[in-house]
């Protein structure tokens, strides 16, 4: 569609240039960006609102439309079969030949790569996402960073970027002192080996409660012990280091189960601990540049000139903080990966943290400070669902997925008991339903998760999208081999509409990247499904008696199959061939 839009824009511009007494000719790109889809398809497929030009041309919009129509009506740009004007709008109907032979022909040729771009070629992007805190629950608050982050990685790869996915594990900090102290008092190795991260979380919850109780009783024994254990860990005590490694291993094994369900792998698990020996250099630079100020014994960077609270670099005891690690990590990543962009996906609650240390990086004189991007997202709550909460009142990601998979299994059992790979399918559809529901709205919107809505096969949901995909698979499989054919004489309305929708794929992948919004793809998937299902209801496909039309419709079905499959993958969804 992009090429056609360009041609229309060029034609409009050249006619404006040819008008008498025109003060200024707009740039074709401006016209192209202004092209829109008319509200009523009977008017045309694309429209140019002429009021955009009325100021520059000093003419009323209907007069501009009429003038342009005079020229374009007689000689429409290539690919346009009809131009009309109504009020201040100039309308264009795309020719059937262009839609079939041209656009569908190109989709048939490029298949799953139709929405790919090459503007990322030769560039590297680092993406920091998911990043749970070891031995603390991996909860639904991490859903956003995990799926938005991974989808952004896939979208960048689709645009030709070389991507490095980093799980910046929260694997350092005083919580490990508490955990070690707790383990020494109440821990049981076997039990933890068996129970995994839940046991660690239980220990962590217990030690925090007991420290609180102690405090109320005016005692500090456990708190002191925790601090001492952390100090030992920091000084490289072998026993504590081994415990820390073990805690980390147990937590990772658990996270990896969830990552596997989502099809996510990381290129690096370098967490906060990895940067311990990389911080002193940065602290020294801060000091040399005179950026550090003492504040009650702590070292800070004053950011009042930028309307932000100070960025904390060192506590009064000299220990480092979250921003210190992020600064050291960014420098390390720049040196190691030479990134063109480094993207951090976290909840909006951390926006200030990122704004602060990005500013510090700038003040330190690193000229790549503007290659750092924070991508925030809103909060998730759970509506009307009773999910097991093994750990206080947080809902684990794992339990959310398990509940969705279980429900899905019972739907399949009821609707399609003879399905072959029930377990795998229930997992793909259940997990997919959660992802799709989550990625449907703009990322900054807070969402309330309602399981039954997410699993509704008739709503704008993952199951509906996967079901439509499975429908295309089964049509193609039943039809057997066929000779692809993109050309057809006159198109039926549902055929036109489906090709038009498919043609938008490259624009949608580009927009999703530009806005760092996977939801652009999610909503586009629904558009494709709706257009395909209308086509499926209205037109005979494999059973069409006319051989050429049959081949054309199968080609259109395959195009839908390829684009839908690729689009689902871009938002971390699997797509079984049967549901
Ligand atoms: N571990 C942090 C959390 O769970 C998120 C880390 C985000 N990445 C970063 N480089 N700060 O809140």
């Amino acid at each position: 569609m992009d090429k056609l839009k360009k041609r229309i824009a060029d034609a409009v511009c050249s006619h404006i240039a040819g008008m008498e007494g025109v003060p200024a000719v707009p740039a074709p790109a401006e016209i192209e960006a202004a092209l829109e889809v008319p509200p009523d398809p009977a008017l045309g497929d694309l429209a140019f609102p002429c009021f955009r030009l009325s100021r520059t041309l000093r003419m009323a919009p209907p007069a501009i439309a009429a003038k342009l129509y005079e020229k374009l009506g007689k000689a429409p740009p290539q690919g346009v079969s009809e131009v009309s004007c109504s009020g201040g709008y100039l309308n264009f109907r795309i020719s059937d030949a262009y839609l079939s032979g041209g656009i569908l022909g190109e989709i048939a040729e490029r298949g799953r790569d139709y929405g790919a771009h090459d503007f990322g070629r030769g560039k590297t992007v680092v993406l920091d996402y998911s990043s749970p805190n070891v031995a603390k629950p991996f909860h639904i608050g991490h859903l956003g960073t995990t799926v938005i982050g991974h989808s952004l990685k896939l979208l960048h790869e689709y645009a030709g970027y070389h991507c490095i996915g980093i799980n910046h594990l929260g694997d350092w900090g005083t919580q490990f002192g508490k955990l070690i102290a707790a383990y020494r008092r109440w821990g049981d190795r076997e039990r933890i080996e068996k129970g995994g991260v839940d046991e660690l979380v239980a220990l962590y919850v217990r030690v925090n409660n007991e420290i609180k109780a102690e405090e109320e009783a005016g005692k500090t024994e456990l708190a002191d012990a925790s601090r001492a254990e952390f100090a030992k860990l920091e000084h490289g005590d072998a026993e504590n280091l081994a415990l820390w490694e073990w805690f980390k291993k147990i937590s990772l094994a658990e996270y990896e189960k969830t990552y596997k369900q989502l099809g996510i792998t990381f290129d690096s698990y370098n967490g906060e601990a990895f940067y311990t020996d990389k911080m002193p250099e940065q602290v020294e630079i801060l000091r040399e540049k005179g950026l550090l100020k003492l504040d009650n014994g702590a070292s800070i960077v004053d950011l009042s000139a930028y309307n932000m609270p100070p960025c904390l670099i060192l506590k009064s005891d000299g220990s480092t903080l979250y921003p210190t690690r992020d600064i050291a990590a960014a420098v390390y990543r720049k040196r190691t990966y030479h990134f063109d962009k480094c993207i951090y996906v976290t909840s909006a609650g951390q926006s200030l943290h990122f704004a602060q240390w990005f500013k510090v990086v700038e003040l330190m004189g690193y000229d790549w400070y503007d290659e750092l991007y924070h991508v925030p997202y809103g909060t998730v709550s759970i509506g009307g669902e009773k999910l097991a909460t093994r750990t206080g009142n947080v809902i684990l990601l794992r339990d959310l997925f398990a509940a969705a998979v279980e429900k899905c299994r019972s739907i399949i059992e009821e609707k399609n008991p003879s399905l072959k790979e029930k377990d795998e399918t229930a997992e793909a559809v259940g997990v997919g339903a959660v992802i799709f529901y989550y990625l449907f709205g703009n990322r900054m919107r807070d969402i309330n998760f309602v399981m039954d809505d997410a699993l509704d096969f008739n709503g704008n949901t993952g199951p509906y999208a996967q079901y439509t995909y499975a429908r295309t698979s089964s049509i193609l499989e039943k039809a057997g081999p066929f000779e692809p054919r993109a050309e057809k004489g006159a198109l039926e309305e549902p055929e036109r509409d489906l090709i038009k929708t498919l043609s938008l794929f490259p624009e949608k992948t580009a927009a999703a990247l530009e806005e760092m919004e996977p939801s652009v793809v999610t909503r586009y998937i629904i558009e494709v499904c709706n257009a395909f299902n209308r086509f499926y209801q209205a037109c005979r496909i494999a059973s069409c008696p006319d051989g050429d039309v049959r081949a054309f419709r199968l080609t259109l079905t395959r195009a839908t199959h390829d684009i839908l499959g690729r689009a689902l993958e871009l938002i971390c969804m699997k797509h079984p061939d049967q549901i």
Side-chain angles (χ1 to χ4, degrees), residues 128 130-133 142 168-170 272 322 326 333 344-346 350 353-354 357:
D128 173 320
S130 198
S131 314
N133 296 323
H142 291 103
H168 188 76
L169 284 178
E272 295 192 26
Y322 187 44
D326 263 328
R333 289 171 189 176
Y344 300 83
V345 186
T346 77
Q350 296 195 33
H353 160 74
F354 283 97
W357 76 259

Side-chain angles (χ1 to χ4, degrees), residues 172-179 204 226-227 230 315:
W172 201 249
T174 46
Q175 79 258 30
F176 288 95
K178 290 185 190 170
L179 206 58
Y204 187 65
S226 300
R227 250 190 304 277
F230 186 58
K315 286 196 222 162

Side-chain angles (χ1 to χ4, degrees), residues 106-118 121 157-160 502 505-507 509 558-559 561-567 569-570:
E106 191 185 340
I107 301 175
E109 204 179 292
R110 297 192 60 196
R112 291 164 45 83
D113 290 338
Y114 179 66
H117 299 280
D118 56 11
R121 187 131 316 139
E157 279 171 348
Y158 202 42
L502 294 178
F505 192 34
E507 289 167 43
T509 53
R558 157 130 338 123
H561 175 87
D562 288 348
I563 289 181
L564 206 47
R566 201 67 186 81
E569 289 163 26
L570 287 173

Side-chain angles (χ1 to χ4, degrees), residues 140-141 378-384 395 400 437-438 446-450:
I140 55 162
T379 59
V380 195
S381 51
I382 300 278
I395 288 164
L400 181 65
Y437 189 87
Y438 182 76
D446 294 337
I447 70 161
N448 185 26
F449 190 89
V450 181

Side-chain angles (χ1 to χ4, degrees), residues 387-449:
L387 287 172
T389 59
R390 268 160 266 213
T391 46
N393 49 8
V394 297
I395 288 164
L396 303 183
L397 213 45
R398 174 189 70 197
D399 292 337
L400 181 65
F401 286 135
V405 171
E406 200 180 303
K407 279 208 174 179
C408 231
R409 230 202 115 95
S410 60
I411 297 175
I412 291 176
E413 213 59 79
E414 184 193 313
K415 293 198 170 164
N416 190 3
S418 61
L419 183 73
K420 270 186 235 119
E421 280 143 3
K422 269 188 218 160
D423 288 335
E424 257 173 56
T425 310
E427 177 158 320
V429 179
V431 170
V434 175
I435 301 172
F436 197 91
Y437 189 87
Y438 182 76
L439 289 180
F440 192 76
N442 282 11
R443 60 180 155 76
M444 280 308 283
R445 251 192 20 208
D446 294 337
I447 70 161
N448 185 26
F449 190 89

